[in-house]
Amino acid sequence: MSALVLPSPNGSTISHQLADAGADVVAVSLRNRAAAARWVVGKMVAARGRQPAVVVVPAGERWPDGSLRPAVEDLWGAGAFVASLVERLEHQAGPLLLSPEASAALAAWLTVEDDVPAALERSASGRELVAQGWPDDVRIAAELDASTAVPVLRDGAFRPA
């Protein structure tokens, strides 16, 4: 078995803060967005009668000085996940109420979904990885729905759902 680890210090910090607040935290990328959406929909259906909220956080990163470094690939990933949720829920629960932020992420995703590999390669992060000699990482990150893994943050670490 091989492992793919895409580190995100900013995403890790946010994930742990959400988990500490009692949220179920799932790591989602373009590679596992469909599997993660299926898992989340299952949790929502199991909530019977309650109205669970799904919060999608495109975390971005930090510049060396600690300031926020937006990452368009995180926005696209959030939008891809929202698209997968909408696809699964809209017919089950009627129209979904998407926040303006979720709608914007979805719109951003729709602009690149037909050519994700090229869009990722042209992004600032993609160019940075290619320049550092990691073009295969960009290619692998662009593999839409290539993974069925659903990492859930439990006891301080992401573990299979």
Side-chain angles (χ1 to χ4, degrees):
M1 181 173 121
S2 61
L4 174 66
V5 177
L6 303 173
S8 171
N10 200 45
S12 296
T13 299
I14 292 168
S15 296
H16 284 282
Q17 289 172 342
L18 289 170
D20 290 346
D24 289 326
V25 178
V26 179
V28 181
S29 70
L30 295 175
R31 293 180 52 80
N32 76 333
R33 61 100 192 216
R38 278 191 298 278
W39 187 86
V40 168
V41 168
K43 294 285 279 185
M44 293 175 80
V45 170
R48 295 187 189 118
R50 291 179 280 138
Q51 296 180 359
V54 176
V55 178
V56 180
V57 182
E61 275 307 332
R62 297 281 172 184
W63 290 109
D65 69 2
S67 63
L68 181 63
R69 176 186 152 216
V72 72
E73 66 275 11
D74 286 0
L75 181 64
W76 295 334
F81 177 68
V82 169
S84 198
L85 279 177
V86 167
E87 184 179 297
R88 284 164 177 72
L89 286 173
E90 197 159 33
H91 302 294
Q92 294 181 24
L96 297 177
L97 299 176
L98 295 179
S99 69
E101 294 82 0
S103 294
L106 177 58
W109 166 247
L110 294 175
T111 66
V112 298
E113 73 174 329
D114 291 332
D115 198 7
V116 176
L120 280 177
E121 192 171 312
R122 288 189 313 264
S123 72
S125 295
R127 291 190 317 267
E128 180 181 345
L129 286 169
V130 169
Q132 292 174 356
W134 301 99
D136 289 343
D137 286 22
V138 178
R139 181 188 50 76
I140 290 167
E143 294 174 347
L144 190 63
D145 299 328
S147 175
T148 58
V150 181
V152 179
L153 187 57
R154 292 192 183 111
D155 301 321
F158 280 100
R159 305 177 192 288

